[in-house]
């Protein structure tokens, strides 16, 4: 400044130094006439307005400042020399300032490495910064991880001393209006405010100021190694002349970052030291625990070794005294047990004995009843007892324990544990010490109590060993006796397993075994399968007791028919079988005939004479054709059923033709079951029923046909026999009824007359038949009067009462019932008396012979009169020509059915018009006799 005043004593000059964004006035002849700060553009404007020259004062990467002198040209040599001199001074000053800054940063870095306490580090750092700039009011804040609380580890303020917080005091910054420090921490940005800017922020409610508002406030956020804000470095000035220049502010920002790095290093080192200390304490604790566990494991291993020794001792054979002595040695490995004894208590005799007693020179006590001794105390309590000498003397004074003898030494310590057998005390294990150096402690009591349980088990095992030895002999004797009894029972079971309990005959298993033996020997033999006829009727009518008597009598009668070498067996129920060795077909047939004739005699059951026959199937073997036992029995069964089909009371010899017949029946039945699952194989064919009086078709009969191919239509005679008597026929009945209902519900059948549908004896035996029929009519909306059910007499035989109820329910629901094949049964007239029918159908056997046999015509006339009398409709079926039609009309039959009108046809081929024309033609030819 002296240089400028000397060279330019009268001119009004100014010197500006470059900052970050502005030119700051460094000196001037008349300061009031020059702006304090301005930009390069504004400096150019001022030079133009005042006609001033401008010279650069020093260069680095850019100009360091400018000298401005009014009224002097920029090319003035003197001013050029002055500017160079000022630039040199400015560069030297900047170099000195840079060196001081570097030295200060190095000192801060050194402090962060050497100082461990954050407060002292910040205090010394403050002293270093004060040498660089005016920062008397300086503090540092730290925040928690959530930025909701702050504390001030260092706080220096020469003016606002009343609001200096304690270093460890946390303050909340979680509010709607944050403080100046809270704003720096929450935003993570530098906050620089003049007094005017601060006032505007306070008035707007954006910030709040704690204490006296400063003239200038500068806060810098500091970051940890991960870039997270963890605190702020702040300086503030309360006087305008103490406000930091832009150069000082830039320096403060740089220094603040180094303070943050150093503080983060100190805090991280302190945290790491705390973690190391905590981990050291934890490891030390774990090490102590591990040492305790090792010691405990060593003790446990030693204890386990002793216990194994005790278990080994208990399993040895030998004298009982040696056993107790070895137990004593094992116990001495665990605790001081020079003086030890075992006392056993027998509850049955109420005596305490001492099988083992080692106590110096003291004698072994005699057996005694429980009294007031230390041993008795353990037995009474059932738990271990630890007594010192004083405790024993106190018990003696109280009378709980008897007084010792004069020659008896008082123990310094006594320890006893009960020997337990389950929940009962069976004895005492005691140790005692007469040496004051060896007194027992609670840990010894716990150990002895644990060991006593194992010793008690060992003692119990050794005591039980003797009893076990004596019991072995008794057990062996009983085992021999039981083995003999078991052999007898097994023999009986084997016999019962191969014989029938009712008749005493061999059973199926026995028979199959004998047949297999005969097959293996390649011998020739015959097998007969015998079934009693009408056994179920006798059993149901006379009771099971009578049925059992019949089976026993039948078995006896069969024995009378057989040879000595023949084997008779009962297979179950009313089925028997015979194995006849060396019996060719003719011999077997003679034997079967003898059996059939034997059953012609009556059986006497419960005082009544009862007749029953039998059906027999015979199968023989030869060398060329081998079979298994089951195959032979199956073939004999097939032959027996063929005998029943032939009329019962006879026999049938099995042949390959019979096998093929049965196989064909099985195949047919299987195919029939598959056909029921479709709608294209089993189809109804319809045949008209005509009224000869009015010339109308009054009904149709639905007849089942099986379409097994395009040109292969089977009639019922070819397949229906296999379904008779089983559930399959019932399924066919419902299937046909559903097909008829579906057709009657169609538009094509709206003008068709009622349809007759056949119903089997199996369906009539089912109580749910009526419900199923009505359900089908309801499903297809078919009126009941459009369906009529046809029954044969056999449908009424199985359960006449159920059949009567079923017919009544059908009639009650509007369904008519027709009795088919009338005149062929044994009791047709009784059926008309008992059951209610709406119509009768004369069997075709009478219709076919009406022209040739007078008897047939007489029977038809009788049926006509009977139907007229009972008010029943009458239909003659099987009418095949006009002559028969004429004769039937002459006799008085009004309704006919047969090929004379048409063969059965499928629904799509029904032609009512053609039938009516054909019928009128027949009626015109058939002239009534006068």
């Amino acid at each position: 400044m002296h240089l400028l005043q000397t060279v330019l004593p009268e001119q009004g000059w100014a010197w500006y130094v470059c900052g970050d964004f502005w030119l700051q006035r460094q000196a001037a002849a008349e300061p009031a006439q020059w702006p304090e700060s301005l930009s390069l553009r504004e400096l150019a404007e001022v030079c133009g307005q005042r006609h001033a020259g401008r010279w650069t004062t020093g260069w680095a990467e850019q100009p360091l400042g400018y000298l401005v002198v009014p009224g002097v040209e920029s090319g003035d040599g003197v001013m050029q020399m002055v500017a160079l001199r000022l630039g040199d001074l400015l560069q030297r000053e900047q170099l000195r300032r840079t060196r001081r800054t570097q030295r200060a940063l190095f000192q801060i870095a050194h402090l962060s490495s050497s100082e461990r306490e954050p407060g002292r580090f910040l205090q010394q750092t403050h002293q270093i910064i004060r040498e660089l700039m005016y920062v008397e009011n300086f503090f540092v804040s730290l925040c928690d991880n959530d930025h909701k609380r702050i504390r001030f580890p260092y706080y220096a303020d020469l003016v606002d001393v009343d609001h200096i917080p304690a270093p460890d005091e946390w303050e909340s910054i979680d509010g709607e209006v944050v403080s100046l420090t809270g704003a720096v921490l929450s935003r993570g940005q530098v906050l620089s405010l003049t007094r005017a800017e601060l006032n505007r922020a306070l008035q707007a409610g954006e910030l709040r100021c704690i204490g006296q508002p400063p003239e200038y406030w500068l806060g810098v956020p500091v970051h940890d190694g991960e870039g997270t804000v963890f605190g702020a470095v702040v300086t503030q000035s309360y006087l305008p002349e103490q406000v930091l220049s832009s150069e000082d502010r830039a320096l403060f920002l740089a220094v603040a970052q180094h303070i943050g790095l150093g503080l983060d290093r100190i805090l991280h080192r302190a945290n790491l030291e705390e973690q190391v200390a905590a981990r050291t304490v934890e490891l030390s604790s774990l090490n102590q625990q591990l040492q305790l566990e090792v010691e405990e494991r060593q003790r446990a291993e030693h204890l386990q070794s002793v216990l194994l020794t005790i278990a080994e001792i208990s399993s040895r054979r030998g004298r009982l005294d040696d056993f107790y002595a070895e137990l004593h040695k094992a116990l001495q490995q665990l605790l001081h047990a020079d003086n030890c004894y075992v006392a056993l208590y027998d509850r049955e005799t109420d005596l305490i004995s001492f099988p083992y007693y080692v106590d110096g020179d003291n004698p072994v006590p005699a057996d005694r009843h429980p009294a007031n001794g230390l041993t008795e105390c353990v037995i009474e309590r059932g738990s271990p007892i630890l007594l010192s000498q004083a405790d024993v003397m106190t018990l003696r004074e109280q009378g709980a324990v008897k007084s010792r003898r004069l020659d008896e030494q008082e123990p310094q310590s006594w320890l006893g544990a009960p020997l337990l057998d389950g929940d009962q005390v069976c004895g005492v294990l005691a140790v005692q010490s007469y040496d004051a150096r060896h007194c027992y402690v609670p840990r010894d009591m716990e150990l002895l109590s644990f060991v006593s349980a194992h010793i008690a088990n060992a003692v119990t095992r050794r005591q039980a060993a003797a009893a076990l030895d004596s019991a072995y002999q008794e057990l062996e004797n009983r085992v021999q006796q039981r083995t003999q009894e078991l052999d007898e029972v097994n023999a009986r079971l084997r016999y019962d397993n191969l014989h029938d309990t009712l008749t005493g005959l061999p059973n199926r298993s026995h028979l199959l075994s004998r047949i297999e033996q005969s097959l293996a020997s390649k011998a020739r033999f015959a097998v007969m399968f015998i079934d009693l006829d009408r056994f179920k009727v006798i059993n149901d009518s006379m009771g099971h007791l009578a049925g059992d008597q019949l089976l026993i009598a039948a078995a006896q009668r069969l024995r009378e028919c057989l040879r000595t070498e023949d084997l008779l067996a009962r297979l179950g129920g009313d089925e028997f079988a015979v194995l006849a060795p060396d019996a060719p077909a003719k011999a077997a047939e003679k034997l079967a005939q003898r059996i059939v004739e034997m059953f012609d005699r009556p059986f006497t059951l419960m005082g009544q004479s009862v007749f029953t026959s039998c059906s027999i199937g015979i199968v023989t073997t030869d060398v060329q054709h081998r079979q298994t036992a089951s195959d032979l029995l199956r073939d004999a069964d097939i032959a027996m059923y063929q005998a029943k089909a032939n009329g019962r009371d006879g026999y049938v010899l099995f042949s390959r033709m019979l096998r093929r017949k049965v196989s064909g029946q099985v195949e047919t039945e299987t195919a029939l079951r598959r056909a029921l699952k479709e709608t294209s194989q089993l189809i109804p064919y319809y045949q008209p029923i005509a009224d000869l009086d009015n010339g109308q078709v009054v009904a149709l009969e639905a007849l089942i046909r099986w379409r097994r191919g395009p040109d292969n239509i089977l009639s019922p005679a070819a397949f229906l026999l296999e379904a008779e008597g089983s559930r399959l026929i019932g399924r066919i009945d419902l299937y046909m009824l559903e097909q008829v209902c579906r057709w009657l519900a169609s538009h094509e059948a709206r003008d068709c007359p009622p349809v007759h549908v056949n119903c089997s004896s199996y369906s009539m035996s089912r109580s749910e038949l009526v419900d199923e029929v009505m359900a089908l009519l309801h499903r297809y909306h078919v009126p009941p009067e459009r369906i009529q059910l046809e029954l044969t007499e056999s449908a009424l035989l199985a359960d006449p009462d159920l059949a009567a109820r079923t017919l009544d329910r059908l009639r009650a629901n509007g369904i008519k019932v027709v009795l088919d094949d009338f005149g062929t049964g044994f009791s047709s007239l009784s059926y008309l008396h008992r059951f209610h029918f709406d119509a009768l159908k004369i069997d075709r056997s009478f219709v076919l012979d009406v022209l040739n046999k007078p008897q047939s015509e007489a029977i038809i006339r009788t049926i006509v009169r009977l139907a007229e009398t009972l008010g029943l409709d009458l239909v003659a079926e099987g009418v095949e020509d006009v002559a028969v039609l004429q004769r039937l009309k002459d006799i008085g039959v009004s309704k006919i059915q047969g090929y004379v009108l048409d063969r059965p046809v499928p629904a799509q081929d029904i032609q009512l018009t053609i039938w009516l024309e054909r019928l009128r033609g027949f009626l015109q030819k058939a002239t009534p006799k006068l």
Side-chain angles (χ1 to χ4, degrees):
M1 301 309 104
H2 177 71
L3 175 62
L4 292 173
Q5 292 173 357
T6 303
V7 176
L8 303 171
E10 296 179 358
Q11 280 94 345
W13 53 270
W15 182 27
Y16 286 89
V17 178
C18 295
D20 293 336
F21 303 102
W22 302 90
L23 298 173
Q24 192 71 26
R25 188 184 65 201
Q26 184 71 14
E30 297 176 359
Q33 296 181 4
W34 298 92
E36 183 178 355
S37 61
L38 42 70
S39 64
L40 286 174
R41 182 178 58 82
E42 291 173 341
L43 177 62
E45 293 176 354
V46 169
C47 291
Q49 293 172 0
R50 299 189 179 188
H51 304 286
R54 181 177 62 179
W55 295 266
T56 302
T57 58
W59 280 84
E61 295 179 358
Q62 59 183 4
L64 298 178
Y66 294 96
L67 174 63
V68 181
V69 180
V72 181
E73 294 294 334
S74 296
D76 188 273
V78 176
M79 292 298 103
Q80 185 69 32
M81 293 179 61
V82 171
L84 290 174
R85 178 62 176 165
L86 289 176
D88 183 56
L89 294 174
L90 188 59
Q91 287 177 338
R92 291 180 183 180
E93 179 61 25
Q94 190 174 25
L95 180 60
R96 285 194 299 271
R97 186 179 184 88
T98 300
R99 289 176 178 174
R100 288 199 306 270
T101 302
Q102 290 177 348
R103 185 168 55 253
L105 295 179
F106 176 77
Q107 292 175 346
I108 293 174
H110 178 71
L111 278 176
S112 66
S113 301
S114 59
E115 186 60 59
R116 296 181 177 274
E117 205 282 315
R120 290 196 299 270
F121 165 74
L122 294 175
Q123 181 180 10
Q124 296 179 47
T125 300
H126 187 195
Q127 295 298 330
I128 294 172
I129 299 174
R130 290 167 65 182
E131 296 177 2
L132 299 177
M133 66 192 79
Y134 182 83
V135 285
E136 296 297 331
N137 304 305
F138 172 83
F139 66 85
V140 176
S141 65
L142 299 176
C143 64
D144 59 6
N145 295 332
D146 296 331
H147 292 161
K148 294 183 178 181
R149 296 188 307 160
I150 59 173
R151 65 184 181 91
F152 300 88
Y154 181 77
Y155 202 106
D157 196 315
L158 301 179
V159 178
D160 195 7
V161 295
D162 295 335
H163 292 88
I164 297 177
D168 296 328
E169 179 181 352
W170 288 91
E171 295 182 5
S172 175
I173 60 173
D174 188 13
E176 294 183 0
V177 181
V178 298
S179 63
L180 300 179
T181 306
V184 175
L185 296 174
S186 60
R187 299 172 186 174
Q189 297 177 353
V190 176
L191 181 61
S192 176
L193 294 173
T194 62
R195 180 62 178 271
E197 292 171 340
L198 176 61
N199 290 336
R200 287 195 296 271
L202 294 176
Q203 292 175 1
E206 298 174 354
L207 298 171
R208 60 186 176 90
C209 182
I210 300 175
Q212 181 178 341
E215 289 294 326
Y216 179 75
W217 194 93
L218 176 60
V220 182
V222 292
H223 302 76
D224 58 15
E226 298 178 355
T228 304
V229 175
F230 72 94
V233 177
V234 180
T235 182
Q236 50 189 352
S237 302
Y238 294 95
L239 297 175
E241 59 272 15
Q242 296 175 351
V243 174
L244 296 180
S245 65
S246 60
E247 207 172 323
D248 290 338
R249 288 197 296 270
L251 180 59
F252 185 80
L253 293 177
V255 172
Q257 294 302 322
H258 282 75
I259 294 174
L261 293 175
L263 184 60
D264 177 53
R265 186 180 303 147
I266 293 173
L267 293 176
H268 179 72
R269 184 168 58 242
N271 183 42
L272 184 61
E273 290 175 352
E274 291 178 0
Q275 291 180 2
V276 170
R279 185 59 178 167
T280 302
V281 173
E282 181 182 355
L283 291 176
S284 177
S285 175
L286 291 175
N287 186 41
Q288 293 177 0
Q289 183 179 356
L290 183 60
Q291 290 179 352
L292 293 176
E293 290 179 356
V294 170
E295 295 175 0
E296 187 65 29
R297 179 169 295 180
Q298 291 175 347
R299 284 194 294 268
E301 290 177 353
H302 182 59
L303 176 60
Q304 186 67 26
S305 175
V306 173
L307 295 179
L308 290 175
T309 302
I310 294 174
E312 181 182 357
I313 293 171
S314 65
S315 62
R316 296 175 188 169
R317 296 285 182 179
R319 297 174 57 251
L320 203 57
D321 293 342
D322 296 337
F323 165 69
Y324 286 121
E326 291 179 354
L327 286 181
H328 186 189
K329 291 180 181 178
L331 185 61
Q332 285 179 311
Q333 298 179 28
L334 298 177
L335 71 164
H336 181 76
D338 292 342
N339 303 297
C340 170
Y341 69 84
V342 175
L344 299 180
Y345 175 56
D346 189 344
R347 293 186 177 275
E348 294 183 359
T349 60
D350 195 29
L351 282 176
I352 299 176
S353 61
F354 297 87
Y356 185 78
Y357 195 93
V358 176
D359 189 25
D361 297 331
N362 294 325
V364 179
D367 296 351
R368 66 171 184 251
H369 292 287
N372 53 348
L374 295 177
T375 302
E376 285 83 344
C377 291
V378 178
I379 294 175
E380 181 180 354
R381 294 186 184 181
S383 59
I385 297 178
L386 173 62
L387 299 173
S388 64
Q389 188 179 59
D391 296 332
V392 175
M393 295 178 63
T394 301
L395 291 175
R396 296 191 191 281
E397 293 174 358
Q398 295 175 352
V401 176
K402 66 179 181 179
S403 300
R404 65 182 178 87
R405 301 188 307 272
L406 294 176
D407 59 345
E408 185 179 1
Q409 184 181 0
E410 196 75 73
Q412 292 290 330
S413 182
W414 189 92
L415 176 59
L419 302 177
L420 299 176
D421 184 7
D423 296 333
Q424 299 291 329
V425 178
C426 64
V428 175
L429 174 64
V431 293
Q432 49 192 352
S433 173
Y434 298 98
D435 189 347
R437 294 173 300 175
H438 299 289
C439 292
Y440 301 115
V441 295
R443 183 177 182 83
D444 296 327
M445 181 175 66
E446 180 182 353
L447 179 61
L448 186 66
S449 177
F450 181 74
V451 173
S452 67
H454 293 267
I455 293 179
N457 291 334
V459 172
T460 303
R461 285 197 297 270
R462 289 303 297 267
Q463 288 178 334
L468 189 61
D469 290 338
S470 63
Y472 276 153
Q473 187 61 40
E474 181 183 357
L475 179 61
E476 185 176 353
N477 296 335
R478 293 179 63 183
V479 167
Q480 292 178 354
Q481 180 182 358
R482 291 291 295 167
T483 301
Q484 183 178 356
E485 294 175 356
L486 186 59
D487 290 341
E488 295 174 356
V489 170
N490 287 335
R492 182 62 186 173
L493 288 176
R494 285 193 295 270
Y495 179 84
D496 292 342
N497 191 44
L498 297 174
H499 290 78
D500 176 49
T501 56
L502 178 63
T503 62
L505 296 176
N507 58 15
R508 180 186 292 268
S509 298
H510 192 172
L511 175 67
L512 291 174
S513 177
R514 287 289 300 274
I515 295 176
E516 291 290 353
Q517 293 175 12
S518 299
L519 286 172
S521 65
K522 299 182 180 180
R524 185 173 58 178
F525 60 92
V527 176
M528 290 187 289
F529 199 109
I530 304 170
D531 184 85
L532 303 184
D533 300 329
R534 300 180 64 248
F535 174 77
K536 185 177 185 303
V537 176
I538 297 172
N539 192 60
D540 293 344
S541 60
M542 300 185 65
H544 295 292
L545 181 59
D548 291 345
Q549 292 178 2
L550 177 59
L551 292 173
I552 295 172
Q556 181 60 36
R557 193 168 293 186
L558 288 170
R559 283 195 192 98
E560 296 173 3
C561 299
L562 301 179
R563 302 170 300 175
T564 305
E565 63 271 21
D566 296 336
L567 175 68
L568 174 64
R570 182 187 175 207
L571 303 181
D574 59 344
E575 296 176 343
F576 296 86
V578 175
L579 171 61
D582 196 20
K586 290 190 176 297
E589 287 182 294
K590 288 181 180 180
L591 180 58
Q593 183 62 38
R594 187 162 60 248
I595 294 173
V596 170
E597 292 174 356
M598 183 66 75
F599 273 74
D600 287 341
R601 300 191 325 229
F603 291 89
T604 302
L605 304 177
M606 303 179 69
Q608 299 183 28
S609 295
V610 177
F611 287 88
T612 183
S613 58
C614 64
S615 299
I616 305 175
I618 306 171
V619 63
T620 62
T621 63
D622 52 46
V623 178
Q624 290 78 21
H625 185 63
R626 309 307 301 171
Q627 295 174 300
T628 65
S630 298
D631 290 340
L632 287 171
L633 204 58
R634 178 202 62 204
D635 292 344
D637 189 18
I638 292 173
M640 182 274 295
Y641 274 105
Q642 185 61 41
K644 283 187 175 293
N646 293 344
R648 305 181 182 182
D649 193 17
Y651 63 87
V652 169
L653 181 64
F654 182 83
S655 63
R656 295 185 180 181
M657 184 179 297
L658 183 58
R659 181 195 297 274
R660 286 193 295 269
K661 178 182 177 181
V662 173
S663 300
Q665 291 175 350
V666 172
E667 293 176 0
T668 300
E669 181 178 346
T670 303
L672 196 56
R673 291 182 182 275
R674 287 197 297 265
L676 281 171
K677 298 179 181 180
E678 304 177 6
T679 58
S680 60
Q681 292 194 39
L682 297 176
I683 54 177
Y685 273 47
Y686 299 92
Q687 188 174 36
I689 299 174
D691 191 332
L692 300 179
D693 293 337
N694 58 20
Q696 297 294 324
V697 175
V698 295
L700 303 175
E701 181 178 1
L703 301 170
I704 189 170
R705 295 293 185 270
W706 188 0
R707 182 188 291 128
R708 302 206 66 177
D711 300 322
N712 187 14
I713 305 297
L714 301 182
S715 64
F719 62 87
L720 214 55
L721 182 62
E722 283 73 12
E724 289 288 349
S726 66
R727 294 183 180 180
L728 189 58
I729 191 65
R731 291 175 57 188
I732 292 175
D733 289 343
L734 292 177
Y735 176 87
M736 282 295 294
L737 181 61
E738 183 174 4
Q739 296 300 315
V740 171
C741 289
R742 182 182 289 115
W743 179 67
L744 288 175
S746 65
H747 179 73
E748 292 78 5
R750 64 185 183 280
D751 297 328
C752 286
V755 178
H756 292 208
V757 182
N758 290 281
C759 185
S760 66
S761 57
Y762 174 80
S763 296
M764 286 299 297
S765 67
R766 298 172 59 249
S767 58
E768 59 268 20
L769 173 64
V770 179
D771 295 332
E772 292 173 347
V773 171
M774 297 309 299
L776 284 174
L777 295 177
H778 179 72
R779 185 192 306 171
Y780 292 100
H781 306 288
V782 176
E785 59 270 15
R786 298 195 69 187
I787 290 292
Q788 297 184 21
L789 297 183
E790 289 193 9
L791 315 175
T792 60
E793 296 177 10
S794 61
L796 310 174
L797 287 174
D799 192 342
D801 294 334
L802 176 60
R805 292 193 299 271
T806 301
L807 293 178
D808 291 341
R809 289 187 61 195
L810 289 171
R811 289 171 58 86
N813 284 282
I815 299 176
K816 293 183 178 182
V817 181
V818 179
L819 180 60
D820 196 8
D821 298 337
F822 183 74
T824 60
F826 298 100
S827 55
S828 298
L829 295 179
S830 65
Y831 291 150
L832 295 179
H833 176 265
R834 183 172 183 181
F835 302 103
H836 300 286
F837 298 101
D838 297 285
L840 303 177
K841 296 186 76 173
I842 303 173
D843 187 69
R844 66 177 59 247
S845 61
F846 301 118
V847 175
L848 293 176
D849 293 337
V850 69
L851 298 178
N852 302 322
K853 292 182 179 181
Q855 296 90 341
S856 297
E857 181 177 345
I859 291 174
I860 293 176
R861 289 182 183 276
T862 302
I863 294 175
V864 170
R865 303 298 174 262
L866 180 63
E868 291 176 352
T869 303
L870 297 177
L872 302 177
D873 285 341
L874 186 64
V875 179
E877 57 182 352
V879 181
E880 298 184 357
D881 54 47
V882 179
V884 174
L885 183 149
Q886 178 64 53
R887 180 62 60 85
L888 292 174
K889 190 172 187 304
D890 293 341
I891 293 173
V893 177
S894 60
K895 296 183 177 63
I896 65 165
Q897 176 184 351
Y899 286 2
V900 69
L901 289 177
D902 202 350
R903 293 177 177 271
V905 295
Q908 63 269 20
D909 294 340
I910 293 176
Q911 298 180 358
L912 288 176
T913 304
I914 295 177
W915 288 346
L916 291 175
E917 292 177 356
R918 188 177 300 167
L919 178 60
R920 292 192 187 100
F922 293 153
L923 293 178
Q924 289 174 2
K925 295 178 183 179
T927 57
K929 293 183 180 180
L930 300 176

